[in-house]
Amino acid sequence: MQFNQPIMDVATLTEYGRQRLSEHFFMREMLYSEVGNLFGIPNIPEHPELALQVGREVAVRLLEPLKRTFGHVSIRSAYRSPTLNAFCNERFQAGDTACWCTDNDVNAARHIWDRRDGEGHLGGTVTVFVPAYLEHFRKTGDYRPLAWWIRDHIDDYAELFFFRNLCAFNIRWYQGPSEKAILYLDPPVRDLLTKVGMDGFDGDHSQFYRSIIKPLE
């Protein structure tokens, strides 16, 4: 089924949510939004077929490798419509720090999957956490073993942005060139772990995670 027109009825939206992005991920879980639910703003793509295209890249290239090693991957925030993202950003600018959304220009080809960025490229960001990693993070507060594992095992990430709560992180797929930066944010701290061109970016980093991360049998 093709979704080349705006979604205007429940039956079409239901079928849209059933679209399989990869072996384990479907579009429906990518549309959930606390802000949308609370304020009654539908989080429905303006260009649904384009959002599916990006969603498949995100799921296959980023989420499935995580699931193969760690099991369940919890989706915290994925697709955001331009309307919802703009509303969220306005609230953030007005002082509601729970609505932490950058503006639509910045989030194009990030959380706004169906809008190309200023360079004409597609991209998609999803915010997730890995339940299997929570106990180690609770004990140590250290996101870096997981970050280095992703650096070594997921070639197609464009950027990684870790947060303190639940060791959640933004992981992005992007058509265009990227620095593959890995950062950690715990305001006011913003640390850069690595990126293209930095010493230690290339090569094997398993010494940082081999005793912590055990692949599923």
Side-chain angles (χ1 to χ4, degrees):
M1 183 176 183
Q2 296 292 306
F3 296 89
N4 296 317
Q5 302 296 325
I7 296 171
M8 303 298 293
D9 59 83
V10 173
T12 304
L13 182 59
T14 300
E15 187 60 31
Y16 187 70
R18 291 175 178 147
Q19 298 305 296
R20 194 173 193 172
L21 303 177
S22 66
E23 182 181 0
H24 296 100
F25 297 93
F26 291 78
M27 192 63 185
R28 190 174 191 267
E29 62 196 304
M30 306 299 172
L31 302 178
Y32 180 81
S33 167
E34 280 100 351
V35 175
N37 287 348
L38 184 62
F39 293 99
I41 302 173
N43 191 32
I44 301 172
E46 294 180 354
H47 304 283
E49 193 64 36
L50 195 58
L52 281 177
Q53 177 184 334
V54 171
R56 292 183 184 112
E57 300 287 352
V58 168
V60 171
R61 296 176 182 272
L62 307 180
L63 300 181
E64 290 291 351
L66 287 167
K67 183 170 178 58
R68 282 194 293 270
T69 293
F70 297 100
H72 179 63
V73 176
S74 182
I75 309 296
R76 289 290 304 145
S77 179
Y79 174 80
R80 291 186 206 141
S81 72
T83 299
L84 178 63
N85 190 83
F87 174 83
C88 193
N89 178 249
E90 288 170 5
R91 290 192 63 85
F92 179 72
Q93 295 296 331
D96 186 352
T97 55
C99 292
W100 189 57
C101 296
T102 54
D103 64 36
N104 284 9
D105 287 341
V106 173
N107 249 337
R110 285 186 169 86
H111 278 294
I112 304 176
W113 295 358
D114 55 340
R115 181 173 289 187
R116 297 176 186 270
D117 67 7
E119 303 300 318
H121 297 307
L122 292 173
T125 294
V126 59
T127 308
V128 304
F129 72 89
V130 175
Y133 193 74
L134 286 181
E135 184 62 16
H136 176 76
F137 187 72
R138 183 188 68 79
K139 291 177 179 178
T140 66
D142 192 358
Y143 74 99
R144 292 171 296 180
L146 180 54
W148 284 122
W149 183 92
I150 293 172
R151 170 71 193 97
D152 285 357
H153 292 87
I154 302 182
D155 293 335
D156 294 321
Y157 84 90
E159 62 188 9
L160 274 173
F161 213 135
F162 281 84
F163 308 98
R164 176 174 54 84
N165 286 337
L166 300 175
C167 197
F169 55 93
N170 285 356
I171 185 167
R172 184 191 189 199
W173 168 80
Y174 183 56
Q175 272 185 337
S178 74
E179 293 185 328
K180 300 180 80 71
I182 301 178
L183 302 105
Y184 177 76
L185 177 67
D186 185 6
V189 174
R190 182 187 179 106
D191 286 332
L192 172 65
L193 179 65
T194 192
K195 67 177 182 178
V196 170
M198 283 182 62
D199 289 344
F201 177 82
D202 294 313
D204 177 76
H205 306 93
S206 59
Q207 71 269 25
F208 298 119
Y209 58 78
R210 69 166 63 97
S211 65
I212 298 164
I213 294 175
K214 302 292 193 288
L216 295 175
E217 298 296 334

